[in-house]
Amino acid sequence: MSKVVTLNEFIHDRQADFPFATGELSQLLSDIGVASKVINKEINKAGLVDILGAFGNTNVQGEEQQKLDVYADNQFIDAFRNGGEVCAIASEENDDYLPFDNEGSRDAKYVVTFDPLDGSSNIDVNVSVGTIFSIYRRISTEGSGKIEDFLQKGTEQIAAGYVIYGSSTMLVYTTGKGVNGFTLDPGIGEYCLSHPDMKAPDDGRLYSFNEGNYNTFSGGLQKYCDWVKEEDPSTGRPYSARYIASMVADIHRNLIKGGVFCYPATSGSPDGKLRLLYECNPMAFIVEQAGGIATTGYERIMEIQPTTLHQRVPALMGSKNMVGKVLEMIEKYG
Ligand code: AHG
Ligand code: MN
Ligand code: MN
């Protein structure tokens, strides 16, 4: 029987990848693991306790906030504030970033952006949801974090990852040296390395678009959605449609099986729906590290200079050749 490697063992073994590492990043990643276990427990009993359903508030994007969104947000904020490695956070659930003023955090060297609960419309129906996070080294030199610490390009990410609360719970992360996935063993309460060095297949047959928005897609995307339905055994078409409406779950599946995920500009969301800082950049980092492509259709997501915390961008990511085909259609038909 091969030895089980836990997330903490793995993180600490990999610390040597960073020659000047002082252990703070390792500690921060461990903190995220612990907070996600607490959230996992709460999600598992979502149908049982009076925590399910709308909280009665709307967040900065005008979306109805679910109780678990707030719960997960608070868990992560507490973990980061108490951990001492982070000088400020920004999350989907807070209009502005949150500087940490407490003694232990004030001069810490990292900031974190996160989507505490992704796919929250799926909570009520027992379908996979996720958490997404991104870690940056601060730019400002002292005190609690500042806005400029957050408005960094995705290429500056030190680490990023997601947790998927699915049929099993997994934590997947990268520090820019490949992607590794850990499955939570509920028996021992530990994340165990289950998907070492994850690689996205270059090709696949799964496409993940919300085709309900077809009429508002650009010409190129409409052409692609028509093309995948044509019968052509030599290219494996027709492809299969797979769309969960939790980007974490959609992208996770496509990373493993091969596929393309797209949330483009639509008439309802002219800049796309997904947020650059805590949805698109971290997922793009993972996808690229797994050998895939992450673009808006016109530029590499990680090279966009952010201007605001909750900025939205179109997202097209996944298997290299599949994204390539979509780009070809965009080039030809707009
Ligand atoms: P969140 O729950 O954090 O607001 O994110 C939901 C996002 C994303 O995960 C998903 O891909 C997309 O919204 C689905 O949107 P549609 O229902 O418009 O397809
Ligand atoms: Mn989300
Ligand atoms: Mn969310």
Side-chain angles (χ1 to χ4, degrees):
M1 212 178 85
S2 57
K3 186 188 174 310
V4 172
V5 178
T6 67
L7 176 65
N8 280 349
E9 285 169 349
F10 187 87
I11 290 170
H12 287 100
D13 284 355
R14 288 295 173 99
Q15 202 174 300
D17 285 351
F18 301 94
F20 304 106
T22 52
E24 285 152 290
L25 180 63
S26 301
Q27 189 54 46
L28 177 50
L29 289 167
S30 299
D31 293 348
I32 292 173
V34 173
S36 75
K37 286 193 248 181
V38 178
I39 293 159
N40 179 60
K41 223 172 130 223
E42 211 58 28
I43 288 173
N44 283 166
K45 58 182 191 199
L48 294 172
V49 291
D50 183 30
I51 197 164
L52 190 64
F55 196 44
N57 264 331
T58 48
N59 67 13
V60 66
Q61 274 97 21
E63 297 154 333
E64 195 179 60
Q65 215 166 37
Q66 305 284 311
K67 269 193 179 180
L68 274 171
D69 285 330
V70 181
Y71 179 86
D73 195 41
N74 289 333
Q75 285 299 324
F76 278 110
I77 290 172
D78 286 350
F80 294 136
R81 199 198 305 273
N82 298 329
E85 299 91 27
V86 174
C87 62
I89 62 97
S91 95
E92 180 187 351
E93 305 305 330
N94 296 282
D95 297 5
D96 208 348
Y97 69 95
L98 214 73
F100 291 157
D101 262 336
N102 53 308
E103 176 89 35
S105 305
R106 203 178 300 134
D107 294 310
K109 63 178 174 206
Y110 297 109
V111 296
V112 182
T113 64
F114 59 98
D115 178 354
L117 207 73
D118 175 63
S120 41
S121 68
N122 281 326
I123 292 165
D124 289 356
V125 289
N126 212 344
V127 171
S128 298
V129 292
T131 291
I132 313 173
F133 63 89
S134 187
I135 302 172
Y136 292 83
R137 198 180 296 277
R138 72 184 300 170
I139 296 178
S140 59
T141 48
E142 55 178 7
S144 47
K146 319 270 186 298
I147 183 71
E148 64 262 32
D149 299 323
F150 294 100
L151 301 182
Q152 301 191 55
K153 292 183 184 177
T155 48
E156 302 305 310
Q157 290 171 101
I158 299 293
Y162 61 80
V163 181
I164 173 167
Y165 311 96
S167 48
S168 61
T169 297
M170 274 188 76
L171 187 150
V172 175
Y173 83 97
T174 183
T175 54
K177 291 184 161 51
V179 180
N180 290 283
F182 302 80
T183 302
L184 183 62
D185 179 336
I188 56 171
E190 291 275 9
Y191 283 107
C192 301
L193 182 62
S194 53
H195 295 61
D197 198 18
M198 291 170 75
K199 290 284 174 229
D202 287 345
D203 288 291
R205 302 188 48 259
L206 304 179
Y207 73 105
S208 312
F209 291 58
N210 182 346
E211 275 193 279
N213 296 324
Y214 178 93
N215 286 336
T216 77
F217 287 174
S218 71
L221 290 177
Q222 290 189 340
K223 279 275 189 238
Y224 182 78
C225 289
D226 299 340
W227 180 84
V228 295
K229 297 183 190 76
E230 289 168 9
E231 242 168 276
D232 176 23
S234 72
T235 52
R237 286 178 293 153
Y239 288 172
S240 287
R242 292 287 185 275
Y243 190 78
I244 295 174
S246 296
M247 80 177 303
V248 166
D250 279 311
I251 292 175
H252 177 72
R253 181 204 51 242
N254 290 358
L255 268 185
I256 291 172
K257 297 200 167 182
V260 57
F261 168 86
C262 184
Y263 206 112
T266 63
S267 55
S269 311
D271 298 319
K273 178 183 180 188
L274 302 173
R275 279 59 56 112
L276 177 60
L277 289 192
Y278 44 81
E279 292 181 315
C280 296
N281 268 337
M283 296 310 281
F285 194 15
I286 295 267
V287 166
E288 286 195 7
Q289 282 293 313
I293 296 178
T295 164
T296 62
Y298 300 92
E299 61 185 317
R300 184 178 171 215
I301 287 174
M302 291 209 291
E303 282 174 13
I304 298 171
Q305 174 61 55
T307 51
T308 57
L309 284 180
H310 299 285
Q311 183 172 345
R312 298 171 195 262
V313 293
L316 164 63
M317 48 180 104
S319 293
K320 201 192 281 179
N321 296 338
M322 296 185 80
V323 173
K325 184 70 189 177
V326 184
L327 290 175
E328 199 184 299
M329 295 292 198
I330 292 175
E331 183 121 320
K332 241 180 165 166
Y333 303 102

